[in-house]
Structure formats: C-alpha cells, structure tokens
Amino acid sequence: MQDFATIASALRENIQKVIIGKTEVVDLMLIAMACKGHILIEDVPGVGKTTIVSCLAKSLQCDFKRIQFTPDILPSDITGFSMANMRTGEFEFHSGAIMSQIVLADEINRASPKTQSALLEVMEENQVTVDGVTYAVPQPFLVLATQNPVEYLGTYPLPEAQLDRFFMRLSIGYPSVGEEVDILSRFETEDPMESLSAIATGEDILALQQQVRTTYVADEIKDYIARITAATREQEFLQLGASPRGALYLMRAAQARARMDGRDYVQVDDVQKMAYPVLCHRLILRPEAKLRDVTAERVMQIVLGGVSVPSLAK
C-alpha cells in the first residue's frame, strides 16, 4: 500500500494541471478526505470552488454527483424516495443524489433549512432512512459544500450546530496577477479539465483513512489539543467556543498532516497548522467583537499564543 505522502503528492500534481497555485487548499482537501471529514468551501463567485472539487473528483475512480441547491429542491431529491412499481405492485427505492462517493453540494445556503438538514443528517450518519428502511451510503463518502459569503438575498445561512458538522471550512481566495495570467494562458485554447484522468481508487482512499488513524499521538499532544479547545471557551470575544467534536477533528487533522509530511507521529506544528481550518468556523463571535472587527482567525491566534506548548522528547 502506498503511503499518504506519495498519494497526496500524485493527487496534488494531477489537480494542479487545472488549478493554478492553491497548494495549501488542495492539501487541506486531501487531509479532510483522509479523515472522513466533509468540507465547506466559502468564497466569492468565480474563484474556482466548483472547479477544484470537480478536479478532485476526476482524480479519483469514485462515483461523483453534483447537486445544484435551489430554494425549491426537496429533501427527497437528496435522500431518495419510494415509488410504486405498477407491474409488481411493490414499492421500490429510487436513490437520491447523495448516494454517491463524492458529492458536491453547490450553493448549499440557497436550499431551505429542511433540505439542508436532510443533507447534514446523511453527512453525520453515513446513511439515509426512507419509509423506515435504512440505506448505507457508499464508501468512501465525502461531501464538499460551497456557499457565497457575501450574497444573502434568497439564502438560508447554516446554523451554528450544522456548521459544526463540517470537518473544516476553506477559502480559495483570489489569485495573484501572475497566477491569473497563467490561468488565462492555460485555458486559452482548451479546457485542461477534459484531459484529467483518475490516478487513485476508492480502495486507496479507504486505506489512507485507516493509515491516518494509526498515526501516534502522544499524551502531551492530546493535552495540548484539549487545552486549546478549552481556551476557546474562555475568550471574551466569543459567545461559543470549540466543541469536543472540534477537539477530536483537530487531532484527526493533525494525524493526517503528519502522514502527509511522511511521519507516523504528530508534532506540535501539525496541531498549530490545522487549528485554523478545523476550529475557526466553530467559534461564534459576540456582537461586540464584530463591531471591533475581531475575526475568528484573530481569536484563534490569541488562543494559540496563550496556550503553553508541550516539550516532547520525540
């Protein structure tokens, strides 16, 4: 079995045949995938949210479905429904778009809260229940949702409890001038997405997920993670700090980051690198913090600066 570092390097190189730069974003997507975590990509239109997800899907020999969320989409469109077979007289299950290994939930905040809840329930339980019958989703299973943070007309913002279901939140950001020139050149005569091919299988991803869980985490590192999440609950700028689920996800992400760097043990640096994408969307700011232009990232910086770092022999 190939290790995480080798497969991650190959996937990164494949994705960047289309995507210019954004190495850190690609790495974070691969880390979330290796941790069985779902991703929320929040950014302005046109920066490549859908494209980067499609590139990841085309790089894997996995089933892929894209759901364009709109206000009139129903929960049954997501989960599936039962319909009577006129020949047999029996009800048959017709699977929804969620019954796929990789699912792109495009503009998730445009769907009604009821439809959002149906999606997030599947994300949490890895199964759907229709008419009292439970159906497991295929494995590996990864949901990547996108939303526009600056457009609020006709949208339904995700509640804090539902945001907590996402393993991490990412932002792609605008390219530099040089990167934008490269984008224009790369797409001038053809779409490089059309020639992208799969270089890893679903079995590879399942093996990586198991490999991540065997990564050694010292007790001192676990204590450090717990003290970081506890410190977020005591910040004056926060109405709500990180949950125990956030602490568990931070440990998983640090394990995957270590494997990506070719190590079978977690370092303090792994925890610090992963704290921002894993915890920031779980920090609920007080109104006065927003008035003072204090961001969740700034609070996370304060937390990491105030929590003592363990000294490890290894």
Side-chain angles (χ1 to χ4, degrees):
M1 180 186 68
Q2 297 186 75
D3 60 19
F4 188 12
T6 302
I7 292 183
S9 177
L11 287 171
R12 186 189 306 120
E13 182 179 344
N14 201 54
I15 292 170
Q16 290 183 328
K17 291 177 182 177
V18 178
I19 302 298
I20 302 292
K22 309 305 176 187
T23 302
E24 183 63 20
V25 175
V26 174
D27 285 351
L28 290 173
M29 289 173 62
L30 298 177
I31 285 170
M33 180 177 66
C35 296
K36 299 184 180 181
H38 307 293
I39 305 168
L40 177 64
I41 306 177
E42 187 178 80
D43 219 321
V44 296
V47 295
K49 300 186 296 293
T50 302
T51 301
I52 199 170
V53 173
S54 299
C55 287
L56 174 62
K58 289 201 71 172
S59 298
L60 302 171
Q61 291 179 9
C62 294
D63 297 331
F64 172 58
K65 287 205 175 84
R66 176 178 180 265
I67 310 171
Q68 182 62 55
F69 277 68
T70 56
D72 61 347
I73 193 170
L74 300 174
S76 58
D77 295 326
I78 305 295
T79 60
F81 55 90
S82 295
M83 178 180 289
N85 186 319
M86 301 306 293
R87 288 181 299 178
T88 64
E90 297 180 353
F91 280 88
E92 296 178 348
F93 175 66
H94 294 259
S95 60
I98 200 64
M99 300 299 283
S100 189
Q101 292 172 301
I102 300 177
V103 178
L104 169 58
D106 227 349
E107 296 185 288
I108 187 175
N109 55 335
R110 288 196 172 279
S112 68
K114 187 174 184 178
T115 302
Q116 290 176 0
S117 297
L119 172 69
L120 293 163
E121 182 180 357
V122 182
M123 289 166 51
E124 181 72 13
E125 300 177 2
N126 280 353
Q127 63 184 28
V128 297
T129 301
V130 177
D131 294 333
V133 181
T134 299
Y135 305 91
V137 296
Q139 296 295 326
F141 177 62
L142 174 66
V143 173
L144 301 104
T146 71
Q147 67 176 7
N148 179 356
V150 297
E151 190 173 59
Y152 298 103
L153 186 63
T155 63
Y156 304 86
L158 292 172
E160 287 78 7
Q162 295 186 352
L163 277 174
D164 196 54
R165 303 278 182 94
F166 286 97
F167 187 83
M168 62 173 64
R169 181 179 61 185
L170 304 179
S171 177
I172 295 176
Y174 286 115
S176 66
V177 173
E179 289 173 340
E180 199 152 4
V181 171
D182 290 341
I183 292 171
L184 296 176
S185 299
R186 185 169 293 186
F187 284 83
E188 182 178 5
T189 58
E190 60 181 359
D191 185 352
M193 177 83 75
E194 295 176 358
S195 59
L196 211 61
S197 58
I199 60 170
T201 66
E203 288 72 22
D204 291 331
I205 303 308
L206 292 173
L208 293 184
Q209 292 173 348
Q210 186 59 38
Q211 190 179 102
V212 165
R213 287 178 174 265
T214 64
T215 307
Y216 176 70
V217 185
D219 290 340
E220 293 87 348
I221 295 291
K222 294 174 187 173
D223 178 72
Y224 182 52
I225 292 171
R227 285 187 289 114
I228 288 173
T229 53
T232 65
R233 302 163 197 156
E234 300 169 357
Q235 288 296 308
E236 59 174 324
F237 293 117
L238 294 183
Q239 181 178 329
L240 192 66
S243 63
R245 178 190 286 155
L248 177 59
Y249 284 179
L250 180 54
M251 183 183 73
R252 287 275 179 261
Q255 288 176 298
R257 172 63 76 172
R259 286 289 182 178
M260 182 171 279
D261 289 343
R263 285 178 282 106
D264 62 356
Y265 60 93
V266 174
Q267 295 179 341
V268 168
D269 189 50
D270 299 317
V271 177
Q272 294 174 340
K273 284 180 179 177
M274 300 312 304
Y276 290 90
V278 173
L279 295 184
C280 282
H281 67 288
R282 294 180 162 84
L283 308 182
I284 310 304
L285 295 169
R286 294 184 183 277
E288 54 267 31
K290 298 178 182 178
L291 292 174
R292 295 171 62 178
D293 291 329
V294 176
T295 63
E297 287 74 16
R298 174 56 183 154
V299 174
M300 197 71 249
Q301 185 181 26
I302 294 171
V303 168
L304 292 176
V307 176
S308 59
V309 178
S311 56
L312 300 175
K314 191 172 183 179

mmCIF file of all heavy atoms in Angstrom, residues 40-61:
data_model
loop_
_atom_site.group_PDB
_atom_site.id
_atom_site.type_symbol
_atom_site.label_atom_id
_atom_site.label_comp_id
_atom_site.label_asym_id
_atom_site.label_seq_id
_atom_site.Cartn_x
_atom_site.Cartn_y
_atom_site.Cartn_z
ATOM 1 N N LEU A 40 -16.604 22.559 3.870
ATOM 2 C CA LEU A 40 -17.380 23.713 3.437
ATOM 3 C C LEU A 40 -16.407 24.707 2.797
ATOM 4 O O LEU A 40 -15.471 25.166 3.452
ATOM 5 C CB LEU A 40 -18.093 24.364 4.628
ATOM 6 C CG LEU A 40 -18.885 25.639 4.316
ATOM 7 C CD1 LEU A 40 -20.050 25.336 3.368
ATOM 8 C CD2 LEU A 40 -19.399 26.290 5.597
ATOM 9 N N ILE A 41 -16.619 24.998 1.515
ATOM 10 C CA ILE A 41 -15.790 25.973 0.805
ATOM 11 C C ILE A 41 -16.591 27.256 0.680
ATOM 12 O O ILE A 41 -17.621 27.297 0.006
ATOM 13 C CB ILE A 41 -15.365 25.458 -0.585
ATOM 14 C CG1 ILE A 41 -14.683 24.099 -0.464
ATOM 15 C CG2 ILE A 41 -14.434 26.458 -1.250
ATOM 16 C CD1 ILE A 41 -14.298 23.483 -1.796
ATOM 17 N N GLU A 42 -16.127 28.285 1.351
ATOM 18 C CA GLU A 42 -16.861 29.551 1.412
ATOM 19 C C GLU A 42 -16.035 30.637 0.745
ATOM 20 O O GLU A 42 -14.951 30.991 1.224
ATOM 21 C CB GLU A 42 -17.149 29.903 2.880
ATOM 22 C CG GLU A 42 -18.045 31.103 3.077
ATOM 23 C CD GLU A 42 -18.328 31.357 4.543
ATOM 24 O OE1 GLU A 42 -17.458 31.939 5.224
ATOM 25 O OE2 GLU A 42 -19.405 30.954 5.008
ATOM 26 N N ASP A 43 -16.536 31.161 -0.372
ATOM 27 C CA ASP A 43 -15.795 32.194 -1.092
ATOM 28 C C ASP A 43 -16.700 32.869 -2.114
ATOM 29 O O ASP A 43 -17.808 32.397 -2.387
ATOM 30 C CB ASP A 43 -14.558 31.600 -1.777
ATOM 31 C CG ASP A 43 -13.358 32.546 -1.700
ATOM 32 O OD1 ASP A 43 -13.568 33.769 -1.839
ATOM 33 O OD2 ASP A 43 -12.225 32.076 -1.499
ATOM 34 N N VAL A 44 -16.204 33.962 -2.674
ATOM 35 C CA VAL A 44 -16.976 34.744 -3.640
ATOM 36 C C VAL A 44 -17.086 33.984 -4.957
ATOM 37 O O VAL A 44 -16.314 33.046 -5.216
ATOM 38 C CB VAL A 44 -16.310 36.114 -3.871
ATOM 39 C CG1 VAL A 44 -16.320 36.926 -2.597
ATOM 40 C CG2 VAL A 44 -14.877 35.948 -4.378
ATOM 41 N N PRO A 45 -18.041 34.352 -5.816
ATOM 42 C CA PRO A 45 -18.213 33.639 -7.092
ATOM 43 C C PRO A 45 -16.994 33.792 -8.013
ATOM 44 O O PRO A 45 -16.322 34.820 -8.010
ATOM 45 C CB PRO A 45 -19.442 34.321 -7.709
ATOM 46 C CG PRO A 45 -20.147 34.978 -6.571
ATOM 47 C CD PRO A 45 -19.089 35.368 -5.599
ATOM 48 N N GLY A 46 -16.737 32.734 -8.775
ATOM 49 C CA GLY A 46 -15.760 32.815 -9.847
ATOM 50 C C GLY A 46 -14.321 32.513 -9.491
ATOM 51 O O GLY A 46 -13.444 32.612 -10.352
ATOM 52 N N VAL A 47 -14.051 32.105 -8.235
ATOM 53 C CA VAL A 47 -12.656 31.846 -7.856
ATOM 54 C C VAL A 47 -12.281 30.376 -8.015
ATOM 55 O O VAL A 47 -11.135 30.001 -7.764
ATOM 56 C CB VAL A 47 -12.363 32.313 -6.406
ATOM 57 C CG1 VAL A 47 -12.486 33.820 -6.294
ATOM 58 C CG2 VAL A 47 -13.281 31.621 -5.402
ATOM 59 N N GLY A 48 -13.244 29.527 -8.402
ATOM 60 C CA GLY A 48 -12.908 28.138 -8.694
ATOM 61 C C GLY A 48 -13.363 27.125 -7.674
ATOM 62 O O GLY A 48 -12.804 26.023 -7.608
ATOM 63 N N LYS A 49 -14.401 27.429 -6.899
ATOM 64 C CA LYS A 49 -14.872 26.491 -5.876
ATOM 65 C C LYS A 49 -15.338 25.181 -6.510
ATOM 66 O O LYS A 49 -14.912 24.097 -6.130
ATOM 67 C CB LYS A 49 -16.006 27.117 -5.051
ATOM 68 C CG LYS A 49 -15.640 28.383 -4.306
ATOM 69 C CD LYS A 49 -16.756 28.861 -3.395
ATOM 70 C CE LYS A 49 -18.013 29.259 -4.130
ATOM 71 N NZ LYS A 49 -17.805 30.476 -4.964
ATOM 72 N N THR A 50 -16.234 25.305 -7.495
ATOM 73 C CA THR A 50 -16.753 24.114 -8.165
ATOM 74 C C THR A 50 -15.667 23.403 -8.961
ATOM 75 O O THR A 50 -15.602 22.169 -8.984
ATOM 76 C CB THR A 50 -17.922 24.503 -9.093
ATOM 77 O OG1 THR A 50 -18.943 25.147 -8.319
ATOM 78 C CG2 THR A 50 -18.498 23.280 -9.783
ATOM 79 N N THR A 51 -14.787 24.174 -9.573
ATOM 80 C CA THR A 51 -13.730 23.590 -10.404
ATOM 81 C C THR A 51 -12.773 22.742 -9.583
ATOM 82 O O THR A 51 -12.408 21.627 -9.980
ATOM 83 C CB THR A 51 -12.940 24.700 -11.126
ATOM 84 O OG1 THR A 51 -13.832 25.471 -11.930
ATOM 85 C CG2 THR A 51 -11.850 24.110 -12.010
ATOM 86 N N ILE A 52 -12.374 23.219 -8.432
ATOM 87 C CA ILE A 52 -11.396 22.478 -7.629
ATOM 88 C C ILE A 52 -12.010 21.183 -7.098
ATOM 89 O O ILE A 52 -11.334 20.146 -7.002
ATOM 90 C CB ILE A 52 -10.839 23.369 -6.484
ATOM 91 C CG1 ILE A 52 -9.521 22.788 -5.969
ATOM 92 C CG2 ILE A 52 -11.842 23.543 -5.358
ATOM 93 C CD1 ILE A 52 -8.777 23.720 -5.029
ATOM 94 N N VAL A 53 -13.309 21.208 -6.782
ATOM 95 C CA VAL A 53 -13.996 19.988 -6.341
ATOM 96 C C VAL A 53 -14.093 18.999 -7.495
ATOM 97 O O VAL A 53 -13.850 17.788 -7.331
ATOM 98 C CB VAL A 53 -15.392 20.314 -5.782
ATOM 99 C CG1 VAL A 53 -16.152 19.030 -5.485
ATOM 100 C CG2 VAL A 53 -15.279 21.168 -4.526
ATOM 101 N N SER A 54 -14.435 19.486 -8.678
ATOM 102 C CA SER A 54 -14.537 18.618 -9.850
ATOM 103 C C SER A 54 -13.194 17.989 -10.193
ATOM 104 O O SER A 54 -13.124 16.829 -10.608
ATOM 105 C CB SER A 54 -15.071 19.414 -11.041
ATOM 106 O OG SER A 54 -16.362 19.923 -10.775
ATOM 107 N N CYS A 55 -12.110 18.752 -10.010
ATOM 108 C CA CYS A 55 -10.766 18.216 -10.265
ATOM 109 C C CYS A 55 -10.441 17.079 -9.304
ATOM 110 O O CYS A 55 -9.871 16.055 -9.704
ATOM 111 C CB CYS A 55 -9.719 19.324 -10.126
ATOM 112 S SG CYS A 55 -9.714 20.504 -11.476
ATOM 113 N N LEU A 56 -10.797 17.250 -8.033
ATOM 114 C CA LEU A 56 -10.581 16.184 -7.055
ATOM 115 C C LEU A 56 -11.376 14.945 -7.438
ATOM 116 O O LEU A 56 -10.859 13.814 -7.399
ATOM 117 C CB LEU A 56 -10.979 16.657 -5.654
ATOM 118 C CG LEU A 56 -10.931 15.598 -4.546
ATOM 119 C CD1 LEU A 56 -9.508 15.076 -4.350
ATOM 120 C CD2 LEU A 56 -11.474 16.157 -3.231
ATOM 121 N N ALA A 57 -12.640 15.142 -7.824
ATOM 122 C CA ALA A 57 -13.490 14.010 -8.188
ATOM 123 C C ALA A 57 -12.948 13.273 -9.408
ATOM 124 O O ALA A 57 -12.950 12.039 -9.453
ATOM 125 C CB ALA A 57 -14.912 14.494 -8.454
ATOM 126 N N LYS A 58 -12.468 14.004 -10.416
ATOM 127 C CA LYS A 58 -11.950 13.376 -11.628
ATOM 128 C C LYS A 58 -10.612 12.682 -11.378
ATOM 129 O O LYS A 58 -10.208 11.814 -12.160
ATOM 130 C CB LYS A 58 -11.783 14.413 -12.742
ATOM 131 C CG LYS A 58 -13.104 14.922 -13.318
ATOM 132 C CD LYS A 58 -12.932 15.532 -14.702
ATOM 133 C CE LYS A 58 -12.643 14.476 -15.747
ATOM 134 N NZ LYS A 58 -12.649 15.017 -17.128
ATOM 135 N N SER A 59 -9.928 13.048 -10.293
ATOM 136 C CA SER A 59 -8.649 12.422 -9.958
ATOM 137 C C SER A 59 -8.838 11.084 -9.244
ATOM 138 O O SER A 59 -7.865 10.366 -9.015
ATOM 139 C CB SER A 59 -7.809 13.361 -9.082
ATOM 140 O OG SER A 59 -7.508 14.556 -9.765
ATOM 141 N N LEU A 60 -10.072 10.770 -8.885
ATOM 142 C CA LEU A 60 -10.370 9.544 -8.146
ATOM 143 C C LEU A 60 -11.350 8.679 -8.944
ATOM 144 O O LEU A 60 -12.276 9.194 -9.570
ATOM 145 C CB LEU A 60 -10.990 9.879 -6.785
ATOM 146 C CG LEU A 60 -10.159 10.757 -5.850
ATOM 147 C CD1 LEU A 60 -10.991 11.177 -4.652
ATOM 148 C CD2 LEU A 60 -8.909 10.024 -5.393
ATOM 149 N N GLN A 61 -11.154 7.380 -8.889
ATOM 150 C CA GLN A 61 -12.095 6.451 -9.515
ATOM 151 C C GLN A 61 -13.262 6.216 -8.558
ATOM 152 O O GLN A 61 -13.450 5.128 -8.023
ATOM 153 C CB GLN A 61 -11.392 5.145 -9.855
ATOM 154 C CG GLN A 61 -10.373 5.254 -10.982
ATOM 155 C CD GLN A 61 -9.680 3.944 -11.265
ATOM 156 O OE1 GLN A 61 -10.061 2.898 -10.752
ATOM 157 N NE2 GLN A 61 -8.631 3.977 -12.083
#
